[in-house]
Amino acid sequence: MIRHILLIKFKSTANTNDINMLKASFESMPSKVKGVHSVEWGMNDSPEGKNKGYTHAVVMNFIDEAGRDNYLPHPEHDELKKLFRPILEDLVVFDYTV
């Protein structure tokens, strides 16, 4: 299994509706893209104050490397990026094998 973690910092102009649409799009990926096992979406609630302005996280689990390889160039991923880019300030992506 490949774990794909995104740490997200939204632009100050991003509104709740746009963020909720993005969340729904991420959460729909397992039913739309072969090889995407699961998606979790969360908002930072750590009391430590070390999130450096990153407010949200997405954890995607791919069945295997082939699943990730299928997702990255997939048209559904491209559609997701169309929602994401206008409201995105910064992004950290980190993958590892479980």
Side-chain angles (χ1 to χ4, degrees):
M1 183 168 287
I2 304 288
R3 190 148 297 144
H4 179 72
I5 300 171
L6 303 117
L7 300 178
I8 305 164
K9 188 185 300 186
F10 288 109
K11 291 180 180 177
S12 60
T13 55
N15 64 54
T16 303
N17 186 52
D18 292 336
I19 293 171
N20 286 338
M21 285 177 51
L22 180 64
K23 177 184 181 203
S25 184
F26 266 110
E27 290 176 337
S28 73
M29 287 298 120
S31 66
K32 293 180 175 180
V33 181
K34 183 179 178 184
V36 178
H37 179 266
S38 62
V39 174
E40 293 177 23
W41 173 280
M43 205 165 137
N44 179 54
D45 62 6
S46 171
E48 294 181 283
K50 297 184 179 195
N51 58 304
K52 298 185 179 184
Y54 293 86
T55 57
H56 293 73
V58 175
V59 177
M60 298 181 82
N61 291 299
F62 299 103
I63 294 170
D64 53 20
E65 226 173 296
R68 179 179 57 188
D69 291 346
N70 182 49
Y71 169 75
L72 292 176
H74 198 281
E76 290 294 338
H77 185 217
D78 291 338
E79 290 301 312
L80 182 72
K81 289 188 272 188
K82 287 179 187 176
L83 294 174
F84 212 168
R85 286 186 177 137
I87 60 175
L88 180 65
E89 175 77 22
D90 196 23
L91 178 70
V92 174
V93 179
F94 191 92
D95 291 4
Y96 64 94
T97 302
V98 179

